[in-house]
Amino acid sequence: MHSHQFDHWPFADAHNTASFSTTKVVREHLPVLMVSHDADGAWQFLDASNDEPGEALLVCMACIYERDQSLEQIADLPLGWSAWRQEVGGTWERFENPPEDDDEDADSTD
């Protein structure tokens, strides 16, 4: 168990909410440059590496926020949206994620 103390918590989700990240962000301390608030409510905090993004890890949101409190700027990211920035301190570009295909569409016959 671990705990976090913040004067201000900007996210609607609890600070101990599990989120997805990568070994490069968590263990190698690469900056979070891409954030996704998935349609199912899950949060992803990712770096911008395209080559080998590293293994996925579950981490509490407060652990990510504690390292970079500028993530407060995207705390209101709606479900189904993502945001990207070129560098820490840069402007976040927000965009809606395309809807995922339903399994029903794949099973339908014409």
Side-chain angles (χ1 to χ4, degrees):
M1 288 297 272
H2 65 278
S3 62
H4 299 276
Q5 289 286 339
F6 300 104
D7 291 334
H8 170 68
W9 178 249
F11 293 89
D13 297 280
H15 71 276
N16 61 349
T17 299
S19 63
F20 295 96
S21 193
T22 67
T23 54
K24 289 193 176 202
V25 170
V26 176
R27 295 190 180 133
E28 297 177 31
H29 301 285
L30 264 60
V32 173
L33 300 177
M34 174 91 172
V35 174
S36 179
H37 193 191
D38 299 340
D40 64 2
W43 285 90
Q44 297 184 49
F45 298 95
L46 310 169
D47 63 86
S49 63
N50 292 329
D51 302 344
E52 298 176 28
E55 295 179 33
L57 293 176
L58 281 177
V59 60
C60 81
M61 288 180 64
C63 286
I64 296 291
Y65 179 71
E66 187 171 60
R67 287 193 7 219
D68 181 359
Q69 295 188 10
S70 73
L71 293 170
E72 176 176 10
Q73 298 169 358
I74 52 80
D76 63 345
L77 199 62
L79 292 173
W81 282 66
S82 292
W84 177 85
R85 62 183 173 178
Q86 246 179 331
E87 60 193 8
V88 173
T91 302
W92 287 100
E93 302 288 331
R94 295 168 179 240
F95 56 93
E96 188 172 10
N97 297 325
E100 294 183 17
D101 292 335
D102 291 343
D103 289 339
E104 292 178 19
D105 292 340
D107 294 338
S108 66
T109 57
D110 292 326

